[in-house]
Amino acid sequence: MESTDVLVIGSGIAGLCAAIEAARAGATVAIACAGKTMSGSSFFPGTWGLGLIGPVDKDDEQDLIDTIQTVGGGVADPELVQTFVHGIPQAIDWLEQDLGVELQRPQSAESAQQKQFIPCFDHKTRMWRGLTRKPLEDACTAQIDSLGIRLLPRHELIDLVEDTNGKIVGAVLFNQTDERIVTFTAKATIIAAGGTGGLFERSLTSADVLSSSQAIARSHGASLTNIEFMQMMPGFIEPKRNLVFNEKTWRYVKFDQPVDIADEELDDLLEQRSGYGPFTSRLASRAIDLAIDQAGVEGLALHYDFPREDVPEFVQTFATWLQDEHGIAPSDEMRVAMYAHAANGGIKIDKTAYTGVEGLYACGEATGGMHGADRIGGLSSANGIVFGRIAGASAARAALDAPEADAPVDVALPEHGIATAVAERLTRCLKHTMSTYCMINRTEPGLSEALQELESLQDEATSLHKPHANDSEIAALARLKSQIQLAAEMVKAMRKRTESLGSHYRAN
């Protein structure tokens, strides 16, 4: 059995920042992740990069705090929001000055004031930075090497390990390369394994976002918060799938098929829709998303009609990326459908990233509380950096203060598993259920049916499991059960919130 002071689960922005901060505090650190190192939604290839916003100055901090609460429908945790906003300027300086990450900036002060730089759902321009993959990868790789952080790619979390007092003292991992289960002991564990997008058929997240870690944390005493609030985002179906549709370009869209929107209203709705990326029930422009949703799996046909001159910088950057990286010209016919995108809720933490379960911390999109029913654009990246650093510092402090264990922990590994082909079939059924009933249009009959279908899947998984399984089958059953449990908790939260609020839309 191997050991480390701090074990980080996940290697997106939050996990990397947590690991670097913990190692800098003097802890030995290992990063385990289900995919390759530097993966997850932070490194999703279907977009040019990530926006990162923060307050312009001290006076702007309170405005951003107030705006987060307003946009979030009052369901964000005030203490987390304050901790979050106050930490963003320092986090950006840390990225640039300490880690040496080269961030993009608007071309000029004048350009920075263009309405295209107003974050999604916000009412004004802020400090905007662009975070692209290679500079982040290069900087993090240098830190990992210099700090001696151990990397465990393709090591999936399937359970946490408790001692006799209920403290988390490590994790059970599935080594996908060797197809064997291994146990790591740790004085502190950080979950940073991403959001809930992996529970849907169409998802603008990478395949290694498994959406199981929240249920694993919950099974060991952690709580979940705001998990009914899931961002649904328009994305391309044709000519290429899994690409984010840039929200700033809606004002230049022409539909190539009829939509249930009056012609005299369409231009105003498209202009309003150009102000934000994910669906919201708060604004009249929800009609655009409902039309996309109504078009179904084939998507809504449209094309761009960009002006010949004075194309805003932000729009030009996207159009150039679309043409150069994917061969899609603005005049090409495209089809757009709704995708599951980012979770606004997840594991409940306090301002130190502590979950309330001794030895367990969490950060990034796996958590909730610092966002509300809607999330301002650019704050997901900021969340990963701010609370990633906080989680790393808190976990290192706990690990370095912890007494040495008297004896090795006796870990009883699971023995029951399920045939991997059966698990894959049941996972497809799970994703179909969530995509059918839990995307935009959420109704009481639909959510009730979803819960029944999830309970049936749970029963089927239980009835088909077998003892003395191999490690791949054991991991498949553990993953499936955690995914079903998280999906069921999401559906229950969606049923409980009977009114529409932000990203949560109740048709009835």
Side-chain angles (χ1 to χ4, degrees):
M1 186 183 304
E2 300 190 65
S3 65
T4 186
D5 289 336
V6 174
L7 177 62
V8 179
I9 308 296
S11 66
I13 287 176
L16 293 169
C17 291
I20 291 168
E21 200 77 341
R24 286 185 166 193
T28 59
V29 179
I31 304 175
C33 53
K36 65 178 184 179
T37 305
M38 299 183 201
S39 54
S41 297
S42 301
F43 297 90
F44 179 64
T47 183
W48 65 269
L50 298 170
L52 172 61
I53 69 124
V56 175
D57 50 34
K58 283 285 185 181
D59 292 338
D60 194 36
E61 285 189 7
Q62 189 59 50
D63 182 82
L64 182 53
I65 289 168
D66 294 341
T67 305
I68 289 172
Q69 290 289 7
T70 300
V71 166
V75 300
D77 181 315
E79 186 175 53
L80 284 187
V81 174
Q82 289 193 25
T83 300
F84 180 26
V85 173
H86 293 327
I88 295 175
Q90 182 182 353
I92 292 176
D93 285 346
W94 181 76
L95 269 185
E96 289 190 301
Q97 306 302 325
D98 215 343
L99 267 61
V101 179
E102 182 180 351
L103 299 177
Q104 293 187 353
R105 285 170 160 76
Q107 291 177 351
S108 66
E110 181 182 84
S111 177
Q113 296 305 310
Q114 291 178 344
K115 63 183 178 181
Q116 284 76 21
F117 280 100
I118 297 175
C120 296
F121 300 130
D122 210 344
H123 66 96
K124 57 176 287 189
T125 54
R126 310 266 182 195
M127 178 177 63
W128 183 90
R129 298 290 182 267
L131 188 60
T132 49
R133 283 179 288 277
K134 190 175 188 310
L136 182 63
E137 288 178 352
D138 289 348
C140 288
T141 297
Q143 289 293 318
I144 287 167
D145 290 344
S146 67
L147 292 167
I149 295 170
R150 183 175 180 184
L151 299 179
L152 302 167
R154 296 181 58 78
H155 278 67
E156 173 192 349
L157 176 70
I158 64 171
D159 203 1
L160 295 168
V161 178
E162 291 183 12
D163 67 11
T164 54
N165 297 315
K167 178 183 177 181
I168 301 303
V169 292
V172 180
L173 307 173
F174 176 58
N175 181 335
Q176 298 170 356
T177 302
D178 296 340
E179 296 188 342
R180 65 185 182 92
I181 290 173
V182 296
T183 303
F184 248 81
T185 60
K187 295 177 181 177
T189 301
I190 301 172
I191 290 181
T196 53
L199 300 179
F200 295 82
E201 288 176 316
R202 290 190 306 275
S203 177
L204 293 171
T205 59
S206 53
D208 55 354
V209 178
L210 301 176
S211 304
S212 56
S213 65
Q214 296 90 334
I216 294 170
R218 184 178 178 275
S219 69
H220 289 272
S223 300
L224 305 180
T225 184
N226 290 346
I227 56 171
E228 65 269 40
F229 300 116
M230 173 90 195
Q231 290 188 341
M232 301 296 167
M233 183 84 80
F236 290 102
I237 293 289
E238 296 287 348
K240 191 171 182 178
R241 299 179 68 88
N242 300 333
L243 300 179
V244 175
F245 187 92
N246 186 283
E247 69 273 8
K248 308 298 183 182
T249 63
W250 275 114
R251 56 177 58 91
Y252 307 114
V253 158
K254 301 296 180 184
F255 291 123
D256 294 326
Q257 67 185 75
V259 293
D260 189 21
I261 301 173
D263 290 343
E264 62 271 18
E265 297 177 358
L266 186 55
D267 286 347
D268 288 342
L269 290 175
L270 286 171
E271 181 64 31
Q272 185 182 61
R273 189 63 185 82
S274 294
Y276 59 94
F279 167 79
T280 181
S281 63
R282 291 184 297 120
L283 302 172
S285 47
R286 63 179 176 269
I288 303 296
D289 301 82
L290 293 172
I292 298 170
D293 189 60
Q294 190 173 15
V297 296
E298 294 184 358
L300 185 66
L302 53 83
H303 68 275
Y304 285 126
D305 185 15
F306 288 134
R308 294 183 180 274
E309 298 179 352
D310 299 325
V311 178
E313 177 193 341
F314 206 104
V315 173
Q316 187 61 59
T317 297
F318 173 73
T320 301
W321 172 79
L322 204 61
Q323 177 84 61
D324 293 350
E325 295 292 325
H326 302 287
I328 302 174
S331 58
D332 290 349
E333 181 179 289
M334 309 165 190
R335 287 189 173 270
V336 173
M338 298 307 296
Y339 284 78
H341 185 227
N344 287 354
I347 301 167
K348 187 176 182 178
I349 58 172
D350 67 12
K351 65 181 182 179
T352 70
Y354 178 53
T355 65
V357 179
E358 190 177 1
L360 185 63
Y361 300 82
C363 57
E365 199 187 332
T367 65
M370 66 296 298
H371 310 303
D374 279 327
R375 173 177 55 76
I376 294 173
L379 287 185
S380 183
S381 310
N383 172 36
I385 301 163
V386 171
F387 282 101
R389 294 186 68 206
I390 290 172
S394 296
R397 192 178 306 115
L400 295 173
D401 290 346
E404 292 297 325
D406 294 331
V409 177
D410 184 21
V411 180
L413 294 176
E415 295 183 354
H416 287 80
I418 192 170
T420 53
V422 173
E424 289 169 1
R425 174 179 63 81
L426 295 180
T427 301
R428 288 194 298 271
C429 292
L430 161 65
K431 292 183 178 183
H432 182 71
T433 294
M434 295 298 287
S435 299
T436 301
Y437 301 112
C438 302
M439 290 285 285
I440 289 181
N441 275 300
R442 299 171 183 173
T443 67
E444 174 55 31
L447 294 172
S448 177
E449 177 63 27
L451 201 55
Q452 291 181 37
E453 290 184 10
L454 291 172
E455 289 170 352
S456 295
L457 289 174
Q458 182 69 60
D459 291 343
E460 189 171 359
T462 300
S463 67
L464 293 175
H465 79 225
K466 56 184 181 179
H468 312 300
N470 64 43
D471 284 5
S472 295
E473 294 170 332
I474 291 170
L477 181 60
R479 181 188 315 119
L480 177 62
K481 284 191 169 183
S482 293
Q483 290 172 328
I484 293 172
Q485 288 165 8
L486 178 57
E489 290 302 313
M490 289 178 68
V491 175
K492 290 174 185 176
M494 292 172 186
R495 287 187 75 187
K496 186 176 181 180
R497 191 172 294 278
T498 56
E499 81 283 7
S500 295
L501 186 64
S503 56
H504 175 65
Y505 178 61
R506 284 296 299 262
N508 59 54

